[in-house]
Amino acid sequence: MLSKFYVVQKNGVPAIWQSDAKRIVPLLKRKAGFTVVSEPPCGTRAEALMKLRELFPGCRPIRSN
């Protein structure tokens, strides 16, 4: 099973979850109030983070090293 990264939100606050396709629906049911924001899921965490920043600008600032 391959895990994918999903951008989810609850009350306008986004998060990134890692899950396989079969487990995301039960996970959403267990964590009441969360919804998937982006379809299809992202292959890497970096892609999911870019999608999160695109959908929720200014929510998670880019860290500078």
Side-chain angles (χ1 to χ4, degrees):
M1 286 188 268
L2 288 174
S3 289
K4 298 288 184 176
F5 292 86
Y6 295 85
V7 178
V8 297
Q9 73 156 342
K10 180 178 183 178
N11 299 329
V13 179
I16 297 173
W17 288 358
Q18 182 178 9
S19 179
D20 60 46
K22 292 181 181 179
R23 294 182 59 206
I24 191 67
V25 173
L27 187 59
L28 287 168
K29 288 180 181 177
R30 190 171 69 234
K31 304 273 186 169
F34 279 93
T35 58
V36 174
V37 177
S38 67
E39 286 291 334
C42 301
T44 65
R45 187 177 188 286
E47 290 173 10
L49 194 54
M50 285 182 2
K51 179 62 104 176
L52 183 145
R53 288 184 180 131
E54 177 183 310
L55 296 170
F56 299 91
C59 188
R60 290 192 178 181
I62 298 172
R63 293 185 206 168
S64 60
N65 293 337

